[in-house]
């Protein structure tokens, strides 16, 4: 979802929450819409993500009684570690507070934003909910890039890459497209991952080819990984 205008964000509590979440996380957490209501796409640079919870839920399988015209909206924190069995599962406030001091730069940033935003649920009317849903739906159709130039500049200022491996840097930068660090730093990470000399021009002009090569590397590594031993099967 592109960054909403100030007028849009201030006129609707859900849009305001969505704009604040994106602003405070530098685009890491982005509110979108789908068949089951509001969802949040969290980029993999952070160990913590979030979901939108509505009580009662107007997007549930059973329609709500017509007399219910207000909903409480809360942000719930979740695990966003891609290779963890806990990925997508809720995390408690104590764990969120711990992540506020995590050694990873982006995890600290997102956790601190969520700790503050999740502490104050908002109440919205059915009309505000419908209006926000439509505004975000239209904004998604107009979206061109996942990260704005302003967010990319802010990410570079935060030096997010200092707590990431070359693989994490390359995977993020190849997928996101927008450069969020200096080209020389990106080039050094790419050379370490692909184990060969890579020019800045190659990173600019052959991003899709490098992305496909990287996917093949990941698939090959997964195929060659030793299988974990399992205990006896109980029949």
């Amino acid at each position: 979802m592109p960054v909403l205008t100030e007028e849009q964000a201030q006129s609707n509590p859900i849009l305001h929450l969505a704009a604040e979440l994106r602003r405070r996380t530098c685009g890491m957490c982005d509110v979108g819409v789908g068949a089951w209501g509001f969802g949040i796409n969290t980029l993999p640079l952070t160990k913590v993500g979030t979901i939108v919870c509505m009580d009662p839920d107007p997007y549930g399988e059973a329609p709500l009684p017509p007399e219910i015209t207000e909903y409480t909206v809360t942000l719930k924190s979740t695990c966003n570690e891609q290779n963890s069995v806990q990925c997508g599962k809720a995390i408690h406030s104590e764990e969120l507070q711990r992540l506020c001091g995590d050694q990873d730069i982006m995890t600290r940033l997102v956790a601190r934003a969520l700790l503050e935003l999740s502490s104050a649920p908002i109440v919205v009317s059915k009309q505000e909910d419908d209006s926000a849903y439509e505004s975000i739906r239209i904004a998604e159709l107009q979206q061109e890039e996942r990260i704005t130039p302003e967010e990319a500049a802010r990410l570079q200022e935060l030096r997010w890459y200092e707590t990431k491996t070359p693989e994490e840097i390359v995977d993020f930068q190849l997928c996101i497209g927008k450069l969020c660090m200096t080209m020389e730093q990106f080039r050094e990470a790419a050379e370490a991952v692909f184990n060969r000399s890579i020019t800045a021009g190659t990173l600019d002009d052959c991003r899709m080819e490098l992305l496909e090569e990287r996917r093949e590397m990941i698939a090959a590594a997964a195929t060659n990984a030793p299988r974990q031993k399992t205990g006896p099967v109980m029949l």
Side-chain angles (χ1 to χ4, degrees):
M1 181 186 72
V3 177
L4 297 166
T5 65
E6 186 68 22
E7 183 179 356
Q8 285 178 306
Q10 293 300 329
S11 65
N12 185 292
I14 295 182
L15 296 182
H16 177 71
L17 179 64
E20 274 296 288
L21 179 64
R22 176 152 187 158
R23 182 184 67 82
R24 296 190 191 199
T25 63
C26 294
M28 291 296 103
C29 299
D30 185 41
V31 177
V33 296
W36 299 102
F38 298 95
I40 299 179
N41 177 19
T42 302
L43 293 177
L45 285 188
T46 167
K47 300 175 187 176
V48 58
T50 186
I51 57 174
V52 177
C53 294
M54 301 183 72
D55 183 28
D57 185 1
Y59 301 97
E61 294 183 3
L64 296 176
E67 61 268 21
I68 296 180
T69 59
E70 288 187 341
Y71 321 113
T72 299
V73 180
T74 310
L75 293 179
K76 298 292 186 182
S77 301
T78 61
C79 174
N80 194 52
E81 294 189 72
Q82 304 302 302
N83 297 322
S84 171
V85 295
Q86 298 300 317
C87 187
K89 296 183 178 180
I91 58 176
H92 298 296
S93 58
E94 294 81 5
E95 175 65 6
L96 183 62
Q97 290 177 335
R98 185 190 69 78
L99 290 169
C100 287
D102 194 87
Q103 64 178 359
D104 177 64
I105 293 170
M106 296 312 297
T107 296
R108 293 199 303 268
L109 177 78
V110 175
R112 291 169 183 172
L114 292 179
L115 187 65
E116 184 170 346
L117 291 174
S118 63
S119 65
I122 60 175
V123 176
V124 303
S125 67
K126 183 179 186 303
Q127 181 179 357
E128 289 170 331
D129 172 47
D130 292 341
S131 176
Y133 187 99
E134 183 63 12
S135 295
I136 293 176
R137 184 189 69 81
I138 293 173
E140 286 183 319
L141 295 175
Q142 299 171 342
Q143 182 176 11
E144 295 182 357
E145 295 183 333
R146 176 65 173 79
I147 292 289
T148 68
E150 294 77 16
E151 288 166 343
R154 178 59 179 145
L155 286 172
Q156 183 169 338
E157 291 176 1
L158 290 170
R159 304 174 72 87
W160 62 273
Y161 46 84
E162 290 186 348
T163 50
K164 300 297 180 184
T165 65
E167 289 79 10
E168 289 172 323
I169 292 171
V170 168
D171 291 346
F172 175 72
Q173 284 291 186
L174 287 180
C175 288
I176 209 67
K178 183 74 66 176
L179 192 61
C180 303
M181 59 197 304
T182 68
M183 176 57 79
E184 180 59 22
Q185 290 163 332
F186 181 24
R187 189 188 64 79
E188 290 177 358
E191 288 188 341
V193 170
F194 293 106
N195 196 29
R196 65 174 184 271
S197 178
I198 296 180
T199 66
T202 299
L203 293 175
D204 268 337
D205 302 332
C206 304
R207 184 171 67 88
M208 296 309 297
E209 291 85 348
L210 289 172
L211 184 58
E212 181 59 30
E213 182 180 350
R214 177 63 183 147
R215 286 171 176 164
E216 291 175 358
M217 291 172 63
I218 294 173
T223 301
N224 296 327
R227 295 184 180 180
Q228 293 184 347
K229 294 183 179 180
T230 60
V233 178
M234 300 299 291
L235 298 178

